[in-house]
Each structure stands twice: as structure tokens, then as C-alpha cells.
């Protein structure tokens, strides 16, 4: 197979993304190459039909050899959690040695024929992204950052930010940037992205604290980046003398930093000194070119040229970018809310417009039918998504998307569209509290609709009892909507049924981090045996709450000796949780909303808040005190 056997379009790119995600999961699930290869060969036709078609003319042995070459590339570059997030590459193949694919032939007569045939460069892709997606976000705090590339972690964070997950960005980057003395220029992108995530989450105080902390960094590049951010904050507030003092400090630190050029001319223009901004733009163009500080095609040069020739055009460009960002956070008068409430009064019954391909307990990807795909494409034009073109668009300032929904009732059968509308309800602001209450009721109805829709789709496709893998991007809106619905339900049998279905059946990898909630609800519902089985599904969990959930589940099951032994181990692994749980009036520690320190005071405090009422309600607290005292 040659590289030009595959036409690289959006679908083939999506195929490779799906294939890399599943292959990464396969690699992380075994240390036996032959076992992983067999699984890879099985999933290739489903995940990457174009790639499989390109090999169809080859005989079975050639196809296996080609798959071996592709899989080997991935295997050699996956950062494995079971190896400290470092790859376990296969030994170099000698031409006359037996091929490692297990065919029994010499390498030169088997997979060696296809060396260099991979239609992608595994080393150039972020396989780390796929690994992290399969971990619960709470585990990011314990990643071995010394073994991981700060640039690659920033790349992953950038992808998540573009996909609309700033909360995950903070969970990943806060612990990465925790130790200021270990940071250097490689962490600059992560610093910028964490600041952007705080901005998207509406957390200006945390963003400012981050900048202030990084201004004390020992690395000049990182400190300079923080000074640049501080300049921007001060100039936005109109504090020009302070802003120029910080700028001078940054200039002394790194006088040839190209970012200074952009910062200086923008500050001058924003202060109303357009002629001086024009002159400084000309100066920087000459300086950057003479010292060869940036690439000839760098967008910075385009901006400086525009500023040097037409400050008005440069300012228009600059203000356009700022307005697009500001639209995300504009207040509104709530008229959209009335229109949406009226519209959802006639929500249609759930109907299946998706296909699934159940195989070996896996339901596969939610594939919308032609009509629904066409509507989703139209929706993308009517309702621009974050990370795309948001110029002159705010969902609260226009009724275009509402008018479109009114004439396209089929749209309510799309998980993607329903999730977008739920997001509008969650992020929109209205002044009238009665309207706010009505919106909350409408949102609950919409989430219940999404849950029934998912049950309908699974039943129609005969996929009951199958996994709905998180790794498929098309599955995530449905899984997120189900989680949001569960979160809004009272702690009753329906909530427990759906939570059990989501964690145990649909998403047993628990990418959404719900197993602690399920364990608590099971014990509360007098299902301690099921809670214990849940804990056994994640034997190396590492979450303090699950460690102590096992203790409580054993105690509630009447297995007191085992419960006491589990308590001794839990006390050894997480002593602060036990101490805080038993304390009469513990002092609340300083809490950081962005992260939880594994084994820290904050983890212990959160556990007490979430679990103490259950220990008390189930009559287990007295047993706990007695067991601790006797031990």
C-alpha cells in the first residue's frame, strides 16, 4: 500500500483519529504485542473502512503484515499508565529473525515488506490525549509530570479548550504548574492555556493569581510571559503608568522577545497614541527581520505591517477579535428564555434516528441517519460553536436559532443539538427569578427527553447491555446528557437505575468520574453487596472516597473482619480522611476549586462533607469509632 492509496479528506482524518484512539486503548490494555495486534486487526474494518479498503486487494498474510506495521508504530509511542506514562517500545527487528507479529516467518519476508507504509506519523501525533481521555479527571493530579512533555500536555489542553472543556484543562494544568521552581520555558504554553481556561470559566481572580505567581518564576521566558499578561490586565483597567512599568520590566528581562512588539503597539494604540504605535510597528518590523527572530510567514509580521501602514485597519482587526470573545460573556434581557420555554412546550416524543453496530458487547458509534446529519450541518450554520466563527453571534441576542428549531422539530432527536440547547440554558442569564425557575423545569424535561431518546435508540438497535464507548466522539453528547439528567434527579430508585446503567453498562471505564456517586447511592439504597462489587471493579482506583467506600460496603454487608482489615489499609493509605471523618469539629482547610490534593486536607474535607451523613444514617459511625479505638 502506498500513501496515495488513501484520499485524505475529513472522513479519512476522522478514521485515523478513531483508529488511534482505539489502538491506544488496546495497547494500554495488554503487554503482549500479538494479543494487541489480533484485537487491532478485528477493529480496523469498523473504525477505518477507507484504510481497510485500501488493503483489500492484498492477501490475508499481507494484510496482517501491514496491520502489524501500523500497530507497531502506535505501540512504540503510546505513553502507558502501567509504565509511568512512558512507552514500552518493541525491540528492533532484525531482518533474518522471526517476525514479532507471530506469523512464524522471517521479518524480511513478512512485516519488513511494509516498513514505512503507515499513512500517519505516530510520533507526530499526541497519543497522550487518547490515554488521558480514558482516565478519570481526578487522576490528573497524580500524573508523573516529570516523565511527561509539558508541550504535549499543553497540546492536549488546547484541544480540550477548543472542544469546550475548560474545566478539564484546569484539572490537568493546575497540578502541572504547581511547583514554580520546576517550571521553565517549556511550560509557557500551559501557562497561557490555563489562563484562557480561567477566562472561559469566568474566574478572573484565579487567572490574576496565576499571573502574579508566574511573575515570580525563575525561568526568564515564563516570567516574561506572565509580565506580558499582567501588562494586558493593567492596560485593560486603564492603569497605564503601572502597565508601562511592567512592560519595562519585561523588556529588560528579554529585550528581543518577539511578543513585546505585539504588546507594545497594542498598548500604545489602546492608549490612543496611534502615531507612536505606527512608528513602533515599523521599528519592530526592521528589528525582527534584522535579528531573524520570527519566521517570514509569522502572523505577527502581518499585524505589524498592517499597523505600520493603516493603524485604523489594525485597530479594527484587534477590536473584532476582542468583541468576538466578549460576546461569550454578554448579559441579556432574558427574551430568549421566554421563546425557548414556549418552544419546548411541544417537545416531540423521542424517535430513533441513529444506527448502532453491536459487536462483542460494544454498541459502537452513534451514527445519525441522513436527515439528522443534514439538520446537524444546518444547525452548525445557525448556531456557531465555541472555537469556530463567533463574530457577531451570541445565542442570547438573536432568535435565529430558536426560529430554526421551531420549523425543524426533528432536531430534538439529535443529542448534539439537545446538548447545545442545554448549554445555553446553563450559561444564559435572566433577571426574573420566576423565569429562571421555569427554565430549570424546562431543562429537566429536556434532559429526561434525552435519556428516553438514548434508551429508545439502544432498544431499536438491539444494543441492550452493550457498552457505549466514550472513545467515540459521537457518543459523548448522549453520555454527558445522561449524566446531567442523573445529577438533577432526587436520590431515588430511578436515579440509581440510571446511574448504575451509565457506570456499569454504558461507560464502565468511568470517563465521567461517577463511580464514587454510584457507590454512595448503592449503600444508601441498602445495596452494599453491589457497592462492594463496584469497588472490586476498580481495584487500583487510588481515589480516597472509593477506598473508604469499600470499608463501608464490607461493614454494611456484615463482613466485619474484612471491613476492619480494609479500614487498616485505608487508614494507612489515606490517614487524613479517617481523622477528619471522626473529628468532632474539624477546621475547614483552604480549598482550591480547581484541584484536589490526593491525600491532602482538602480531599479529607470533601469526603467528610459527602459521606459523613451516610456513615451516620447507616449506623456505621459507631462501629468505625470502636474499631479505630480497639486497633
Amino acid at each position: 500500500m502506498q500513501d496515495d492509496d488513501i484520499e485524505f479528506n475529513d472522513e479519512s482524518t476522522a478514521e485515523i483519529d478513531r483508529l488511534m484512539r482505539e489502538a491506544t486503548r488496546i495497547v494500554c490494555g495488554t503487554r503482549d504485542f500479538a494479543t494487541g495486534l489480533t484485537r487491532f486487526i478485528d477493529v480496523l474494518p469498523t473504525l477505518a473502512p477507507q484504510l481497510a479498503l485500501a488493503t483489500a486487494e492484498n492477501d490475508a498474510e499481507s494484510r496482517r503484515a501491514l496491520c502489524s506495521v501500523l500497530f507497531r508504530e502506535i505501540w512504540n509511542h503510546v505513553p502507558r499508565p502501567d509504565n509511568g506514562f512512558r512507552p514500552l517500545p518493541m525491540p528492533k527487528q532484525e531482518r533474518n529473525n522471526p517476525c514479532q507479529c507471530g506469523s512464524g516467518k522471517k521479518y524480511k519476508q513478512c512485516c519488513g515488506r511494509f516498513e514505512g507504509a503507515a499513512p500517519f506519523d505516530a510520533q507526530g501525533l499526541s497519543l497522550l490525549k487518547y490515554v488521558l481521555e480514558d482516565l478519570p479527571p481526578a487522576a490528573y493530579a497524580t500524573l508523573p509530570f516529570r516523565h511527561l512533555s509539558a508541550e504535549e500536555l499543553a497540546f492536549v489542553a488546547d484541544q480540550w479548550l477548543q472542544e469546550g472543556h475548560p474545566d478539564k484543562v484546569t484539572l490537568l494544568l493546575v497540578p502541572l504548574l504547581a511547583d514554580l521552581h520546576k517550571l521553565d520555558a517549556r511550560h509557557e504554553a500551559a501557562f497561557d492555556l490555563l489562563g484562557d481556561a480561567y477566562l472561559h470559566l469566568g474566574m478572573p481572580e484565579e487567572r490574576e493569581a496565576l499571573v502574579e505567581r508566574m511573575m515570580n518564576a525563575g525561568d526568564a521566558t515564563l516570567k516574561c510571559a506572565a509580565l506580558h499578561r499582567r501588562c494586558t490586565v493593567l492596560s485593560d483597567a486603564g492603569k497605564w503608568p503601572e502597565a508601562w512599568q511592567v512592560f519595562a520590566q519585561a523588556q529588560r528581562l528579554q529585550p528581543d522577545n518577539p511578543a513585546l512588539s505585539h504588546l507594545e503597539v497594542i498598548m500604545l494604540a489602546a492608549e490612543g497614541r496611534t502615531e507612536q504605535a505606527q512608528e513602533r510597528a515599523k521599528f519592530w518590523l526592521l528589528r525582527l527581520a534584522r535579528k531573524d527572530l520570527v519566521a517570514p510567514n509569522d502572523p505577527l509580521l502581518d499585524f505589524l505591517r498592517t499597523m505600520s501602514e493603516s493603524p485604523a485597519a489594525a485597530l479594527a482587526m484587534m477590536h473584532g477579535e476582542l468583541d468576538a470573545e466578549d460576546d461569550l460573556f454578554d448579559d441579556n434581557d432574558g427574551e430568549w428564555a421566554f421563546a425557548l420555554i414556549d418552544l419546548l412546550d411541544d417537545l416531540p416524543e423521542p424517535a430513533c434516528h441513529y444506527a448502532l453496530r453491536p459487536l462483542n458487547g460494544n454498541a459502537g458509534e452513534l451514527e445519525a441517519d441522513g436527515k439528522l446529519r443534514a439538520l446537524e450541518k444546518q444547525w452548525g450554520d445557525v448556531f456557531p460553536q465555541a472555537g469556530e466563527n463567533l463574530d457577531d453571534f451570541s445565542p442570547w441576542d438573536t432568535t435565529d436559532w430558536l426560529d430554526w428549531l421551531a420549523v425543524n422539530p426533528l432536531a430534538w432527536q439529535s443529542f448534539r443539538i439537545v446538548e447545545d440547547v442545554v448549554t445555553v440554558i446553563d450559561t444564559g442569564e435572566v433577571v426574573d427569578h420566576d423565569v429562571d425557575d421555569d427554565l430549570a423545569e424546562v431543562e429537566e424535561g429536556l434532559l429526561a427527553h434525552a435519556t428516553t431518546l438514548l434508551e429508545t435508540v439502544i432498544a431499536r438497535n438491539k444494543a441492550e447491555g452493550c457498552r457505549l464507548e466514550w472513545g467515540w466522539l459521537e457518543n459523548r453528547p448522549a453520555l454527558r446528557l445522561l449524566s446531567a439528567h442523573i445529577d438533577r434527579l432526587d436520590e431515588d430508585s430511578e436515579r440509581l437505575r440510571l446511574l448504575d446503567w451509565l457506570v456499569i453498562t454504558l461507560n464502565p471505564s468511568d470517563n465521567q468520574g461517577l463511580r464514587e456517586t454510584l457507590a454512595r447511592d448503592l449503600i444508601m439504597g441498602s445495596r452494599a453487596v453491589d457497592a462492594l462489587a463496584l469497588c472490586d471493579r476498580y481495584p487500583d482506583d487510588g481515589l480516597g472516597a472509593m477506598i473508604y467506600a469499600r470499608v463501608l460496603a464490607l461493614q454494611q454487608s456484615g463482613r466485619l473482619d474484612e471491613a476492619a482489615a480494609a479500614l487498616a489499609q485505608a487508614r494507612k493509605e489515606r490517614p487524613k480522611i479517617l481523622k477528619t471523618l471522626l473529628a468532632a469539629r474539624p477546621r475547614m482547610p483552604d480549598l482550591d476549586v480547581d484541584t484536589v490534593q490526593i491525600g491532602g486536607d482538602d480531599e479529607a474535607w470533601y469526603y467528610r462533607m459527602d459521606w459523613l451523613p451516610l456513615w451516620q444514617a447507616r449506623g456505621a459511625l459507631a462501629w468505625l469509632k470502636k474499631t479505630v479505638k480497639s486497633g
Side-chain angles (χ1 to χ4, degrees):
M1 181 186 70
Q2 301 299 321
D3 288 352
D4 56 6
D5 287 337
I6 300 175
E7 179 184 351
F8 281 89
N9 49 37
D10 289 343
E11 178 55 32
S12 62
T13 301
E15 278 191 9
I16 290 177
D17 181 67
R18 292 195 297 266
L19 190 64
M20 300 295 278
R21 177 175 287 104
E22 183 61 25
T24 299
R25 185 176 291 123
I26 291 170
V27 172
C28 290
T30 181
R31 289 202 173 195
D32 182 70
F33 180 80
T35 300
L37 175 59
T38 299
R39 174 61 181 156
F40 179 77
I41 294 172
D42 288 342
V43 302
L44 178 63
T46 302
L47 298 180
Q50 287 192 39
L51 183 59
L53 184 62
T55 68
E57 296 181 1
N58 296 317
D59 56 56
E61 289 186 359
S62 296
R63 285 198 299 273
R64 177 182 174 81
L66 176 60
C67 286
S68 177
V69 170
L70 302 183
F71 187 59
R72 184 188 178 95
E73 278 294 301
I74 301 169
W75 180 283
N76 287 345
H77 295 99
V78 169
R80 305 174 63 110
D82 63 352
N83 192 45
F85 289 84
R86 290 170 292 191
L88 276 175
M90 298 287 289
K92 177 177 172 53
Q93 277 268 229
E94 299 297 335
R95 290 181 55 78
N96 291 312
N97 285 353
C99 189
Q100 293 167 346
C101 77
S103 66
K105 294 184 177 182
K106 291 183 178 181
Y107 176 65
K108 67 182 181 182
Q109 297 169 340
C110 188
C111 297
R113 295 174 295 156
F114 294 95
E115 278 190 351
F120 50 76
D121 176 10
Q123 194 168 11
L125 293 175
S126 178
L127 301 179
L128 178 62
K129 176 178 184 287
Y130 305 126
V131 174
L132 294 180
E133 285 176 349
D134 274 349
L135 295 177
Y140 297 160
T142 61
L143 291 173
F145 292 112
R146 67 185 182 279
H147 295 153
L148 297 172
S149 163
E151 292 96 333
E152 188 175 13
L153 287 166
F155 174 79
V156 173
D158 188 32
Q159 296 295 305
W160 286 348
L161 201 58
Q162 292 182 44
E163 294 168 4
H165 304 297
D167 51 338
K168 286 183 63 176
V169 172
T170 63
L171 290 173
L172 179 64
L173 297 187
V174 166
L176 172 66
L177 302 176
D179 193 340
L180 193 63
H181 301 294
K182 295 182 180 180
L183 306 182
D184 54 38
R186 296 170 297 178
H187 295 82
E188 181 182 358
F191 160 59
D192 286 334
L193 286 162
L194 181 55
D196 292 341
Y198 283 141
L199 182 64
H200 283 283
L201 290 169
M203 302 170 67
E205 294 181 358
E206 288 76 5
R207 181 170 177 252
E208 186 171 348
L210 172 67
V211 171
E212 292 289 343
R213 190 165 68 88
M214 289 299 170
M215 285 171 60
N216 296 313
D219 180 81
T221 299
L222 197 55
K223 183 174 183 176
C224 203
L227 290 169
H228 293 179
R229 287 264 184 170
R230 183 63 176 152
C231 277
T232 302
V233 171
L234 290 170
S235 59
D236 286 346
K239 299 178 180 180
W240 296 110
E242 296 96 325
W244 286 113
Q245 286 178 3
V246 176
F247 179 85
Q249 185 180 352
Q251 194 172 35
R252 287 193 299 271
L253 191 62
Q254 284 189 329
D256 288 331
N257 189 324
L260 285 171
S261 61
H262 187 266
L263 181 62
E264 183 179 20
V265 297
I266 282 183
M267 287 174 62
L268 289 169
E271 199 177 3
R273 298 155 63 182
T274 53
E275 291 185 5
Q276 193 171 351
Q278 187 175 16
E279 291 303 313
R280 293 300 292 175
K282 294 176 181 178
F283 162 81
W284 278 109
L285 280 170
L286 292 173
R287 183 185 182 92
L288 294 175
R290 186 173 66 252
K291 293 198 171 188
D292 195 24
L293 296 175
V294 297
N297 60 346
D298 194 303
L300 173 62
L301 298 179
D302 292 335
F303 174 79
L304 293 174
R305 289 192 194 97
T306 304
M307 179 64 77
S308 67
E309 296 167 1
S310 175
L315 289 172
M317 179 193 309
M318 182 176 71
H319 290 309
E321 293 172 354
L322 292 174
D323 290 342
E325 184 175 295
D326 289 343
D327 278 347
L328 289 170
F329 305 99
D330 283 345
D331 291 335
N332 57 84
D333 58 12
E335 291 184 3
W336 65 273
F338 294 101
L340 183 59
I341 291 170
D342 290 340
L343 182 61
L344 291 179
D345 279 343
D346 297 319
L347 194 65
E349 290 294 319
C352 179
H353 288 271
Y354 289 90
L356 290 167
R357 306 183 190 281
L359 180 66
N360 298 328
N362 189 344
E365 178 185 25
L366 283 165
E367 299 177 10
D369 63 21
K371 290 184 178 179
L372 202 57
R373 283 199 307 271
L375 275 183
E376 288 179 341
K377 188 175 185 302
Q378 292 178 28
W379 174 251
D381 297 328
V382 175
F383 191 94
Q385 302 303 294
E388 298 179 8
N389 180 21
L390 283 168
D391 292 345
D392 302 323
F393 178 81
S394 172
W396 309 291
D397 294 338
T398 177
T399 60
D400 289 352
W401 60 282
L402 288 163
D403 295 338
W404 183 89
L405 286 170
V407 298
N408 290 286
L410 179 61
W412 297 114
Q413 312 301 343
S414 164
F415 294 111
R416 173 193 160 192
I417 295 175
V418 170
E419 185 180 43
D420 284 341
V421 175
V422 168
T423 300
V424 172
I425 296 174
D426 282 342
T427 56
E429 298 178 3
V430 290
V431 177
D432 192 323
H433 292 295
D434 291 335
V435 175
D436 223 352
D437 292 340
D438 290 341
L439 267 180
E441 184 175 341
V442 165
E443 182 181 15
E444 290 174 8
L446 194 54
L447 290 171
H449 165 84
T451 297
T452 306
L453 175 60
L454 180 57
E455 291 175 316
T456 301
V457 169
I458 286 177
R460 286 288 301 274
N461 285 277
K462 302 186 186 310
E464 294 93 339
C466 290
R467 299 186 303 278
L468 194 68
E469 294 283 2
W470 178 264
W472 293 99
L473 295 181
E474 290 299 323
N475 293 348
R476 294 185 184 182
L479 293 170
R480 286 193 292 259
L481 286 166
L482 177 56
S483 175
H485 182 211
I486 292 168
D487 189 52
R488 286 159 178 78
L489 290 175
D490 293 330
E491 295 177 345
D492 57 14
S493 59
E494 176 64 6
R495 168 190 160 101
L496 186 53
R497 179 185 74 83
L498 293 175
L499 189 57
D500 186 275
W501 182 44
L502 175 56
V503 176
I504 301 300
T505 302
L506 296 180
N507 187 13
S509 296
D510 193 27
N511 305 87
Q512 296 165 280
L514 295 172
R515 56 187 178 275
E516 177 190 348
T517 303
L518 176 57
R520 188 169 60 243
D521 285 12
L522 285 169
I523 295 173
M524 188 180 302
S526 300
R527 292 174 55 185
V529 173
D530 292 333
L532 186 59
L534 175 68
C535 293
D536 289 339
R537 290 174 69 97
Y538 307 95
D540 300 318
D541 191 283
L543 295 179
M546 292 299 288
I547 294 172
Y548 279 84
R550 179 177 178 78
V551 176
L552 183 55
L554 285 166
Q555 190 273 340
Q556 291 290 294
S557 300
R559 297 160 61 174
L560 300 184
D561 289 342
E562 292 175 74
L567 175 60
Q569 183 62 30
R571 186 178 191 177
K572 181 179 178 181
E573 294 183 30
R574 293 290 197 280
K576 290 184 178 180
I577 289 182
L578 181 60
K579 179 181 178 181
T580 305
L581 183 63
L582 293 176
R585 288 185 296 274
R587 185 176 65 87
M588 185 176 74
D590 293 331
L591 301 176
D592 185 342
V593 297
D594 296 317
T595 187
V596 175
Q597 180 64 44
I598 301 300
D601 294 329
D602 51 353
E603 182 192 47
W605 178 264
Y606 286 130
Y607 180 84
R608 177 186 170 92
M609 294 298 99
D610 291 338
W611 285 82
L612 178 59
L614 182 56
W615 281 87
Q616 293 170 330
R618 303 303 301 178
L621 195 61
W623 170 86
L624 183 65
K625 293 177 179 178
K626 180 181 178 181
T627 304
V628 170
K629 185 176 181 180
S630 63

